Amino acid sequence: MFSKLKDVESRYQELEKLLSDPAVVSRQSLYQKYAKEHADLRDLVDAYRKYEKVAQGIEEGQQLLRGDDEELKEIAREELPELRQQLTQLEERMKILLLPKDPNDERNVFLEIRAGTGGDEAGLFAGDLFRMYARYAEERRWKVEVISSTPSGGVGGFKEIIASLAGQGAYSQLKYESGVHRVQRVPVTEAQGRIHTSAVTVAILPEADEVEVTIDPNDLRIDVFHSSGHGGQSVNTTDSAVRITHLPTGLVVSCQDEKSQLKNKAKGMKVLRARLLAIMVKKQNDEISEARKSQVGSGDRSERIRTYNFPQGRVTDHRVGLTLYSLENILGGGIQEFVDALTAHFQAEALKQSTG
């Protein structure tokens, strides 16, 4: 590991020289390429340099223990345990930073939320979850854009809502949110006050580049129709809404958020590319051994991942066993503690696999 770290630091120093070279600065595409590589290596190099500094401090402390000055020996005895702890923590951090990066981590995402079991109550909770993710995104200054939505009856929820969340590291933060989210609460319409359990599925799809997913126009059937608003009323009199069917896979994408047919088609094609990329990634994952899939986590949206219990004001993530008694704050976008715990958990699992 340490020989690799020395190579990484050498490359980092080389990049620093290249980024100050006028010949590189004048070529923007090359400069941006080197700047990204430099930024990607920064955390690892910083951790390595801190590790070297702490290791040197431990060596100096051990030398003091071998000396004759009792006062200095006492100082060394006090400092060495903390330095050794720092060294262990930095070594673990470097191992994690050396893990292969998910190529999708920096991508924008499509958030797809669908009501499952529970009727109107599931639709209402789908709306709650959309607002939760939208507020989380807005706090991070990401751009939130609704692609399409299907209201659920007249209760104010959604049968389905699809949105684009665009911002730095969107996929890295939200990729473990895919799965079944379960809610336990007394429905507004329930006179007897009984607690109902409903479910909503969440899918987080990384946005695909056009070059990654090639779509043959002959494989598409494109239909246009009137857009509809809440309650089914027509929101305009032109055929601006677009339904795109990918014939080889049977995937269907509808978009009616824009008044322009061309804009709706462009948005729909983005969603279609993301779904096709997800199918490609799943196929690749299926080719990996079952043991490895269980180690790194499949992110399968069919598994129940989290329960939101309103009577007790608690939210539990079943994958990491984390329970927080701050339901109102979480539904207000305060999901970072879950995001951090899940990231640490799956990094640890990947680390076990890489050293196993």
Side-chain angles (χ1 to χ4, degrees):
M1 180 175 87
F2 288 99
S3 62
K4 185 174 182 178
L5 286 164
K6 286 189 180 297
D7 291 342
V8 168
E9 186 180 34
S10 297
R11 176 58 178 167
Y12 188 78
Q13 291 169 337
E14 181 185 357
L15 287 165
E16 287 182 329
K17 290 178 184 175
L18 286 168
L19 289 171
S20 60
D21 185 337
V24 172
V25 173
S26 64
R27 297 172 60 189
Q28 273 303 298
S29 60
L30 187 62
Y31 180 84
Q32 287 172 5
K33 177 187 170 186
Y34 288 149
K36 185 180 184 309
E37 186 183 354
H38 183 266
D40 289 344
L41 295 178
R42 185 181 296 121
D43 286 348
L44 180 57
V45 171
D46 284 349
Y48 176 57
R49 287 174 175 172
K50 285 177 186 173
Y51 181 93
E52 293 278 271
K53 189 174 180 180
V54 171
Q56 183 181 350
I58 290 173
E59 176 59 32
E60 290 171 356
Q62 289 171 336
Q63 286 178 4
L64 290 175
L65 288 177
R66 292 191 288 270
D68 298 325
D69 190 319
E70 288 300 323
E71 189 174 339
L72 289 176
K73 285 166 78 171
E74 185 58 33
I75 292 171
R77 287 191 195 98
E78 288 179 5
E79 290 181 347
L80 278 171
E82 185 179 341
L83 289 172
R84 290 191 180 105
Q85 185 179 2
Q86 286 180 27
L87 198 73
T88 301
Q89 290 170 346
L90 286 165
E91 187 171 349
E92 289 303 308
R93 174 157 174 73
M94 288 189 297
K95 285 177 182 176
I96 288 171
L97 290 170
L98 280 168
L99 287 171
K101 291 189 182 297
D102 186 330
N104 294 322
D105 272 354
E106 293 305 311
R107 293 178 189 258
N108 301 330
V109 301
F110 288 104
L111 165 68
E112 301 189 348
I113 302 175
R114 294 180 179 86
T117 55
D120 287 346
E121 176 61 18
L124 283 168
F125 190 60
D128 291 339
L129 286 184
F130 172 69
R131 285 184 287 276
M132 178 182 83
Y133 290 120
R135 286 167 184 162
Y136 177 75
E138 287 160 2
E139 284 174 7
R140 301 180 74 84
R141 302 192 177 181
W142 297 346
K143 183 181 178 183
V144 179
E145 188 175 13
V146 174
I147 303 296
S148 68
S149 62
T150 305
S152 60
V155 296
F158 296 98
K159 290 179 182 176
E160 174 187 274
I161 183 164
I162 299 172
S164 165
L165 307 183
Q168 185 176 6
Y171 185 73
S172 69
Q173 295 296 295
L174 294 177
K175 60 184 174 181
Y176 301 122
E177 293 299 303
S178 290
V180 175
H181 294 241
R182 188 175 65 169
V183 59
Q184 295 172 329
R185 65 182 173 188
V186 178
V188 177
T189 56
E190 177 60 63
Q192 299 301 317
R194 293 179 299 173
I195 296 171
H196 284 216
T197 298
S198 306
V200 169
T201 61
V202 172
I204 301 292
L205 305 178
E207 184 177 343
D209 295 331
E210 288 190 41
V211 293
E212 288 176 293
V213 180
T214 304
I215 300 174
D216 186 340
N218 294 321
D219 288 339
L220 301 177
R221 186 178 75 238
I222 299 176
D223 302 305
V224 294
F225 54 96
H226 286 335
S227 296
S228 296
H230 290 279
Q233 72 269 27
S234 178
V235 294
N236 58 41
T237 56
T238 60
D239 290 333
S240 62
V242 174
R243 182 186 300 109
I244 304 171
T245 304
H246 186 248
L247 300 173
T249 60
L251 286 175
V252 178
V253 174
S254 296
C255 185
Q256 60 180 32
D257 192 56
E258 299 284 350
K259 291 182 180 179
S260 160
Q261 187 184 121
L262 286 174
K263 287 182 179 178
N264 279 329
K265 182 182 175 184
K267 282 186 176 183
M269 288 298 292
K270 280 188 174 184
V271 175
L272 180 61
R273 275 193 292 272
R275 290 185 185 173
L276 288 171
L277 179 65
I279 290 173
M280 290 164 54
V281 170
K282 185 178 186 304
K283 185 178 178 183
Q284 290 169 352
N285 286 342
D286 287 346
E287 292 169 0
I288 300 172
S289 69
E290 205 61 35
R292 175 156 176 75
K293 277 204 294 182
S294 65
Q295 289 289 335
V296 300
S298 64
D300 189 344
R301 73 191 72 167
S302 67
E303 53 185 299
R304 185 195 72 190
I305 62 168
R306 196 172 295 154
T307 296
Y308 303 73
N309 184 291
F310 275 69
Q312 296 178 21
R314 64 174 168 82
V315 182
T316 299
D317 193 288
H318 305 290
R319 295 161 296 177
V320 290
L322 175 62
T323 295
L324 301 177
Y325 288 87
S326 53
L327 186 143
E328 191 175 330
N329 174 60
I330 289 163
L331 289 178
I335 61 171
Q336 193 62 49
E337 194 167 345
F338 282 122
V339 169
D340 292 342
L342 287 160
T343 300
H345 169 75
F346 284 108
Q347 282 178 340
E349 293 300 312
L351 193 57
K352 283 183 196 172
Q353 180 67 21
S354 68
T355 56

